[in-house]
Amino acid sequence: MASDIVIAQTTIDDEERAKSLARGAVENRLAACAHIDQAFTAVYRWKNAIETAREWRISYKTTTVRLPELQAWVSKEHSYEVPEWITLPVTGGSEAYLAWVVEESTPQSAG
């Protein structure tokens, strides 16, 4: 079951937007949960300049089946021209937790 689970990450420069991106994904069952890390300093090159920004990282726990929809949703809702989007495979973990991620990331049938 671990191979069915991924952690997807993005960053954003506004704490309230981070909360909105986390909550929206969970509300839409695109992810079972999302963690928002403490603010950190990002240093990166953008359009031939070195930039420094305060950002928050959002880590989503989801399934490989829901990942394309989550990625599309985050891309649509995100304010960056090129948002960070990386995925990390989950290679192990508690079977109970992994089953919970699958259950909570699965759309509920109407009725």
Side-chain angles (χ1 to χ4, degrees):
M1 182 180 306
S3 63
D4 297 335
I5 309 298
V6 294
I7 298 171
Q9 295 182 330
T10 193
T11 57
I12 197 158
D13 62 358
D14 180 270
E15 186 175 13
E16 290 307 311
R17 290 291 302 138
K19 290 176 183 177
S20 177
L21 286 169
R23 185 173 186 86
V26 173
E27 285 176 344
N28 288 295
R29 300 186 78 89
L30 298 169
C33 67
H35 294 162
I36 302 170
D37 293 339
Q38 296 275 338
F40 57 87
T41 301
V43 179
Y44 54 94
R45 184 180 308 276
W46 180 249
K47 298 188 177 181
N48 296 317
I50 303 297
E51 302 286 342
T52 303
R54 181 177 164 114
E55 291 187 314
W56 287 260
R57 177 180 297 112
I58 307 157
S59 298
Y60 301 98
K61 281 60 167 202
T62 193
T63 63
T64 54
V65 170
R66 297 296 279 161
L67 187 60
E69 286 182 75
L70 174 61
Q71 182 176 2
W73 183 85
V74 168
S75 181
K76 180 176 71 82
E77 298 295 322
H78 208 291
S79 59
Y80 286 8
E81 184 178 337
V82 181
E84 174 184 331
W85 185 256
I86 61 170
T87 59
L88 307 165
V90 173
T91 60
S94 155
E95 286 300 317
Y97 179 79
L98 299 176
W100 174 81
V101 170
V102 170
E103 181 181 338
E104 293 304 320
S105 299
T106 301
Q108 299 297 297
S109 58

Short mmCIF file of all heavy atoms in Angstrom, two decimals, residues 54-95:
data_model
loop_
_atom_site.label_atom_id
_atom_site.label_comp_id
_atom_site.label_asym_id
_atom_site.label_seq_id
_atom_site.Cartn_x
_atom_site.Cartn_y
_atom_site.Cartn_z
N ARG A 54 10.22 35.12 2.15
CA ARG A 54 9.69 34.35 3.29
C ARG A 54 8.59 33.47 2.72
O ARG A 54 7.66 33.97 2.06
CB ARG A 54 9.15 35.32 4.33
CG ARG A 54 8.62 34.65 5.56
CD ARG A 54 8.18 35.75 6.53
NE ARG A 54 7.33 35.19 7.56
CZ ARG A 54 7.65 35.13 8.84
NH1 ARG A 54 8.80 35.62 9.25
NH2 ARG A 54 6.84 34.61 9.72
N GLU A 55 8.68 32.15 2.96
CA GLU A 55 7.70 31.22 2.41
C GLU A 55 7.27 30.20 3.44
O GLU A 55 7.93 29.99 4.45
CB GLU A 55 8.28 30.49 1.19
CG GLU A 55 8.49 31.37 -0.02
CD GLU A 55 8.90 30.57 -1.25
OE1 GLU A 55 9.80 29.71 -1.14
OE2 GLU A 55 8.30 30.81 -2.30
N TRP A 56 6.15 29.57 3.13
CA TRP A 56 5.61 28.46 3.91
C TRP A 56 5.52 27.25 2.98
O TRP A 56 5.07 27.38 1.83
CB TRP A 56 4.21 28.80 4.44
CG TRP A 56 4.23 29.80 5.55
CD1 TRP A 56 4.13 29.53 6.88
CD2 TRP A 56 4.36 31.21 5.45
NE1 TRP A 56 4.19 30.69 7.61
CE2 TRP A 56 4.34 31.75 6.74
CE3 TRP A 56 4.52 32.09 4.37
CZ2 TRP A 56 4.45 33.10 7.01
CZ3 TRP A 56 4.64 33.45 4.63
CH2 TRP A 56 4.60 33.95 5.94
N ARG A 57 5.94 26.08 3.46
CA ARG A 57 5.86 24.85 2.67
C ARG A 57 4.60 24.09 3.08
O ARG A 57 4.33 23.91 4.26
CB ARG A 57 7.08 23.96 2.89
CG ARG A 57 6.99 22.63 2.13
CD ARG A 57 8.20 21.74 2.34
NE ARG A 57 9.39 22.39 1.83
CZ ARG A 57 10.40 22.84 2.60
NH1 ARG A 57 10.35 22.69 3.91
NH2 ARG A 57 11.44 23.43 2.06
N ILE A 58 3.85 23.65 2.10
CA ILE A 58 2.67 22.82 2.33
C ILE A 58 3.00 21.42 1.82
O ILE A 58 3.40 21.25 0.67
CB ILE A 58 1.44 23.36 1.58
CG1 ILE A 58 1.23 24.84 1.91
CG2 ILE A 58 0.20 22.53 1.90
CD1 ILE A 58 0.45 25.58 0.86
N SER A 59 2.84 20.43 2.69
CA SER A 59 3.07 19.02 2.33
C SER A 59 1.74 18.30 2.38
O SER A 59 1.12 18.22 3.44
CB SER A 59 4.05 18.37 3.30
OG SER A 59 5.31 19.01 3.25
N TYR A 60 1.32 17.79 1.24
CA TYR A 60 0.06 17.06 1.13
C TYR A 60 0.32 15.56 1.18
O TYR A 60 1.25 15.08 0.53
CB TYR A 60 -0.61 17.35 -0.21
CG TYR A 60 -0.92 18.80 -0.47
CD1 TYR A 60 -0.07 19.59 -1.23
CD2 TYR A 60 -2.09 19.38 0.02
CE1 TYR A 60 -0.37 20.92 -1.50
CE2 TYR A 60 -2.39 20.70 -0.24
CZ TYR A 60 -1.53 21.47 -0.99
OH TYR A 60 -1.83 22.78 -1.25
N LYS A 61 -0.50 14.81 1.91
CA LYS A 61 -0.46 13.35 1.88
C LYS A 61 -1.65 12.90 1.04
O LYS A 61 -2.80 13.21 1.36
CB LYS A 61 -0.58 12.74 3.29
CG LYS A 61 0.71 12.78 4.09
CD LYS A 61 1.18 14.16 4.28
CE LYS A 61 2.29 14.25 5.33
NZ LYS A 61 2.37 15.60 5.87
N THR A 62 -1.35 12.21 -0.05
CA THR A 62 -2.41 11.81 -0.98
C THR A 62 -2.04 10.50 -1.65
O THR A 62 -1.00 9.90 -1.34
CB THR A 62 -2.68 12.94 -2.00
OG1 THR A 62 -3.89 12.66 -2.70
CG2 THR A 62 -1.54 13.12 -2.97
N THR A 63 -2.88 10.09 -2.59
CA THR A 63 -2.62 8.85 -3.33
C THR A 63 -2.14 9.18 -4.73
O THR A 63 -2.38 10.28 -5.25
CB THR A 63 -3.91 8.00 -3.43
OG1 THR A 63 -4.89 8.74 -4.17
CG2 THR A 63 -4.45 7.64 -2.06
N THR A 64 -1.50 8.22 -5.36
CA THR A 64 -1.05 8.41 -6.74
C THR A 64 -2.25 8.62 -7.66
O THR A 64 -2.14 9.34 -8.66
CB THR A 64 -0.20 7.22 -7.22
OG1 THR A 64 -0.94 6.01 -7.03
CG2 THR A 64 1.11 7.13 -6.46
N VAL A 65 -3.39 8.05 -7.32
CA VAL A 65 -4.61 8.22 -8.13
C VAL A 65 -5.10 9.66 -8.08
O VAL A 65 -5.51 10.23 -9.09
CB VAL A 65 -5.71 7.24 -7.65
CG1 VAL A 65 -7.05 7.56 -8.30
CG2 VAL A 65 -5.31 5.81 -7.92
N ARG A 66 -5.06 10.29 -6.90
CA ARG A 66 -5.56 11.66 -6.73
C ARG A 66 -4.54 12.73 -7.08
O ARG A 66 -4.88 13.90 -7.23
CB ARG A 66 -6.03 11.86 -5.29
CG ARG A 66 -7.19 10.98 -4.88
CD ARG A 66 -8.44 11.26 -5.67
NE ARG A 66 -9.11 12.42 -5.11
CZ ARG A 66 -10.01 13.14 -5.75
NH1 ARG A 66 -10.36 12.84 -6.97
NH2 ARG A 66 -10.57 14.17 -5.17
N LEU A 67 -3.28 12.33 -7.24
CA LEU A 67 -2.21 13.29 -7.47
C LEU A 67 -2.43 14.20 -8.68
O LEU A 67 -2.26 15.42 -8.56
CB LEU A 67 -0.86 12.56 -7.58
CG LEU A 67 0.37 13.46 -7.65
CD1 LEU A 67 0.49 14.33 -6.41
CD2 LEU A 67 1.61 12.59 -7.82
N PRO A 68 -2.83 13.69 -9.84
CA PRO A 68 -3.04 14.61 -10.98
C PRO A 68 -4.11 15.68 -10.70
O PRO A 68 -3.93 16.85 -11.07
CB PRO A 68 -3.47 13.67 -12.11
CG PRO A 68 -2.92 12.34 -11.74
CD PRO A 68 -2.99 12.29 -10.24
N GLU A 69 -5.19 15.29 -10.03
CA GLU A 69 -6.23 16.28 -9.70
C GLU A 69 -5.73 17.29 -8.68
O GLU A 69 -6.05 18.48 -8.77
CB GLU A 69 -7.49 15.58 -9.20
CG GLU A 69 -8.27 14.88 -10.29
CD GLU A 69 -9.53 14.26 -9.75
OE1 GLU A 69 -10.49 15.02 -9.48
OE2 GLU A 69 -9.54 13.03 -9.57
N LEU A 70 -4.97 16.82 -7.69
CA LEU A 70 -4.40 17.73 -6.70
C LEU A 70 -3.45 18.72 -7.38
O LEU A 70 -3.53 19.92 -7.13
CB LEU A 70 -3.66 16.95 -5.61
CG LEU A 70 -2.91 17.78 -4.58
CD1 LEU A 70 -3.85 18.71 -3.81
CD2 LEU A 70 -2.12 16.88 -3.64
N GLN A 71 -2.59 18.23 -8.25
CA GLN A 71 -1.66 19.11 -8.94
C GLN A 71 -2.39 20.15 -9.77
O GLN A 71 -2.05 21.34 -9.75
CB GLN A 71 -0.72 18.29 -9.84
CG GLN A 71 0.29 19.16 -10.54
CD GLN A 71 1.28 18.35 -11.36
OE1 GLN A 71 1.19 17.13 -11.45
NE2 GLN A 71 2.23 19.03 -11.96
N ALA A 72 -3.42 19.74 -10.50
CA ALA A 72 -4.20 20.69 -11.31
C ALA A 72 -4.87 21.73 -10.43
O ALA A 72 -4.89 22.93 -10.75
CB ALA A 72 -5.23 19.94 -12.15
N TRP A 73 -5.42 21.30 -9.31
CA TRP A 73 -6.12 22.21 -8.39
C TRP A 73 -5.15 23.22 -7.79
O TRP A 73 -5.42 24.43 -7.77
CB TRP A 73 -6.84 21.42 -7.30
CG TRP A 73 -7.62 22.28 -6.38
CD1 TRP A 73 -8.90 22.73 -6.56
CD2 TRP A 73 -7.17 22.82 -5.13
NE1 TRP A 73 -9.26 23.53 -5.49
CE2 TRP A 73 -8.22 23.59 -4.61
CE3 TRP A 73 -6.00 22.72 -4.41
CZ2 TRP A 73 -8.12 24.26 -3.40
CZ3 TRP A 73 -5.89 23.40 -3.21
CH2 TRP A 73 -6.94 24.15 -2.71
N VAL A 74 -3.99 22.74 -7.31
CA VAL A 74 -3.00 23.64 -6.72
C VAL A 74 -2.52 24.63 -7.77
O VAL A 74 -2.41 25.83 -7.50
CB VAL A 74 -1.82 22.86 -6.10
CG1 VAL A 74 -0.66 23.79 -5.75
CG2 VAL A 74 -2.28 22.10 -4.86
N SER A 75 -2.26 24.16 -8.97
CA SER A 75 -1.79 25.05 -10.04
C SER A 75 -2.80 26.15 -10.32
O SER A 75 -2.44 27.32 -10.51
CB SER A 75 -1.53 24.23 -11.30
OG SER A 75 -1.07 25.06 -12.33
N LYS A 76 -4.08 25.81 -10.32
CA LYS A 76 -5.14 26.79 -10.58
C LYS A 76 -5.27 27.79 -9.43
O LYS A 76 -5.50 28.98 -9.65
CB LYS A 76 -6.46 26.04 -10.80
CG LYS A 76 -7.66 26.95 -11.07
CD LYS A 76 -8.91 26.17 -11.38
CE LYS A 76 -9.51 25.46 -10.25
NZ LYS A 76 -10.36 26.08 -9.29
N GLU A 77 -5.15 27.31 -8.19
CA GLU A 77 -5.37 28.15 -7.01
C GLU A 77 -4.13 28.94 -6.58
O GLU A 77 -4.25 29.89 -5.82
CB GLU A 77 -5.83 27.27 -5.83
CG GLU A 77 -7.15 26.56 -6.06
CD GLU A 77 -8.32 27.53 -6.19
OE1 GLU A 77 -8.34 28.55 -5.46
OE2 GLU A 77 -9.21 27.27 -7.02
N HIS A 78 -2.96 28.54 -7.04
CA HIS A 78 -1.70 29.13 -6.60
C HIS A 78 -1.47 30.49 -7.27
O HIS A 78 -1.84 30.69 -8.41
CB HIS A 78 -0.55 28.18 -6.94
CG HIS A 78 0.61 28.30 -6.02
ND1 HIS A 78 1.43 29.42 -6.00
CD2 HIS A 78 1.11 27.45 -5.09
CE1 HIS A 78 2.36 29.24 -5.10
NE2 HIS A 78 2.20 28.05 -4.53
N SER A 79 -0.83 31.39 -6.55
CA SER A 79 -0.59 32.74 -7.07
C SER A 79 0.74 32.87 -7.82
O SER A 79 0.94 33.87 -8.51
CB SER A 79 -0.63 33.75 -5.92
OG SER A 79 0.36 33.43 -4.95
N TYR A 80 1.63 31.89 -7.73
CA TYR A 80 2.93 32.00 -8.39
C TYR A 80 2.81 31.69 -9.88
O TYR A 80 2.01 30.83 -10.28
CB TYR A 80 3.93 31.02 -7.80
CG TYR A 80 4.48 31.35 -6.43
CD1 TYR A 80 3.98 32.40 -5.68
CD2 TYR A 80 5.49 30.58 -5.89
CE1 TYR A 80 4.50 32.67 -4.42
CE2 TYR A 80 6.01 30.84 -4.65
CZ TYR A 80 5.51 31.89 -3.90
OH TYR A 80 6.02 32.15 -2.67
N GLU A 81 3.65 32.33 -10.66
CA GLU A 81 3.73 32.03 -12.09
C GLU A 81 4.22 30.59 -12.31
O GLU A 81 3.70 29.87 -13.16
CB GLU A 81 4.69 33.01 -12.76
CG GLU A 81 4.79 32.86 -14.26
CD GLU A 81 5.71 33.90 -14.88
OE1 GLU A 81 5.94 34.98 -14.28
OE2 GLU A 81 6.22 33.62 -15.98
N VAL A 82 5.20 30.18 -11.51
CA VAL A 82 5.74 28.82 -11.57
C VAL A 82 5.84 28.30 -10.14
O VAL A 82 6.89 28.42 -9.49
CB VAL A 82 7.13 28.77 -12.25
CG1 VAL A 82 7.65 27.34 -12.32
CG2 VAL A 82 7.07 29.39 -13.64
N PRO A 83 4.76 27.75 -9.59
CA PRO A 83 4.82 27.25 -8.22
C PRO A 83 5.69 26.00 -8.10
O PRO A 83 5.76 25.19 -9.04
CB PRO A 83 3.37 26.92 -7.88
CG PRO A 83 2.67 26.81 -9.17
CD PRO A 83 3.45 27.59 -10.19
N GLU A 84 6.35 25.88 -6.96
CA GLU A 84 7.07 24.63 -6.68
C GLU A 84 6.05 23.50 -6.65
O GLU A 84 4.96 23.64 -6.10
CB GLU A 84 7.77 24.70 -5.32
CG GLU A 84 8.40 23.39 -4.91
CD GLU A 84 9.01 23.43 -3.52
OE1 GLU A 84 9.45 24.50 -3.06
OE2 GLU A 84 9.04 22.37 -2.88
N TRP A 85 6.41 22.39 -7.27
CA TRP A 85 5.57 21.18 -7.20
C TRP A 85 6.50 20.00 -7.29
O TRP A 85 7.06 19.74 -8.36
CB TRP A 85 4.53 21.14 -8.31
CG TRP A 85 3.61 19.97 -8.13
CD1 TRP A 85 3.63 18.80 -8.83
CD2 TRP A 85 2.58 19.83 -7.16
NE1 TRP A 85 2.66 17.95 -8.36
CE2 TRP A 85 2.00 18.56 -7.32
CE3 TRP A 85 2.09 20.65 -6.15
CZ2 TRP A 85 0.96 18.10 -6.53
CZ3 TRP A 85 1.05 20.20 -5.37
CH2 TRP A 85 0.49 18.94 -5.56
N ILE A 86 6.70 19.33 -6.18
CA ILE A 86 7.50 18.12 -6.18
C ILE A 86 6.73 17.03 -5.45
O ILE A 86 5.88 17.32 -4.61
CB ILE A 86 8.89 18.32 -5.53
CG1 ILE A 86 8.76 18.74 -4.06
CG2 ILE A 86 9.71 19.34 -6.30
CD1 ILE A 86 10.08 18.71 -3.31
N THR A 87 7.02 15.80 -5.81
CA THR A 87 6.39 14.67 -5.13
C THR A 87 7.46 13.73 -4.61
O THR A 87 8.51 13.55 -5.24
CB THR A 87 5.43 13.90 -6.06
OG1 THR A 87 6.14 13.42 -7.19
CG2 THR A 87 4.29 14.81 -6.51
N LEU A 88 7.17 13.16 -3.47
CA LEU A 88 8.08 12.24 -2.81
C LEU A 88 7.35 10.92 -2.60
O LEU A 88 6.25 10.92 -2.03
CB LEU A 88 8.52 12.81 -1.46
CG LEU A 88 9.09 14.23 -1.50
CD1 LEU A 88 9.14 14.83 -0.11
CD2 LEU A 88 10.44 14.23 -2.15
N PRO A 89 7.93 9.81 -3.02
CA PRO A 89 7.26 8.52 -2.80
C PRO A 89 7.30 8.14 -1.33
O PRO A 89 8.26 8.45 -0.62
CB PRO A 89 8.08 7.55 -3.64
CG PRO A 89 9.44 8.16 -3.71
CD PRO A 89 9.22 9.66 -3.69
N VAL A 90 6.27 7.50 -0.87
CA VAL A 90 6.24 6.95 0.47
C VAL A 90 6.57 5.47 0.32
O VAL A 90 5.86 4.73 -0.35
CB VAL A 90 4.85 7.16 1.14
CG1 VAL A 90 4.77 6.43 2.47
CG2 VAL A 90 4.58 8.64 1.30
N THR A 91 7.66 5.06 0.93
CA THR A 91 8.14 3.69 0.76
C THR A 91 7.78 2.78 1.93
O THR A 91 8.07 1.59 1.90
CB THR A 91 9.66 3.66 0.55
OG1 THR A 91 10.29 4.25 1.69
CG2 THR A 91 10.04 4.44 -0.71
N GLY A 92 7.15 3.33 2.94
CA GLY A 92 6.75 2.53 4.09
C GLY A 92 5.98 3.37 5.07
O GLY A 92 5.84 4.58 4.90
N GLY A 93 5.47 2.71 6.10
CA GLY A 93 4.74 3.43 7.13
C GLY A 93 3.71 2.52 7.77
O GLY A 93 3.54 1.36 7.38
N SER A 94 3.03 3.04 8.73
CA SER A 94 1.97 2.31 9.43
C SER A 94 0.86 1.96 8.45
O SER A 94 0.33 2.84 7.76
CB SER A 94 1.43 3.19 10.56
OG SER A 94 0.11 2.84 10.90
N GLU A 95 0.50 0.69 8.39
CA GLU A 95 -0.58 0.28 7.49
C GLU A 95 -1.88 1.00 7.82
O GLU A 95 -2.64 1.37 6.93
CB GLU A 95 -0.77 -1.24 7.52
CG GLU A 95 0.33 -2.00 6.79
CD GLU A 95 0.45 -1.64 5.31
OE1 GLU A 95 -0.59 -1.53 4.62
OE2 GLU A 95 1.59 -1.47 4.84
#
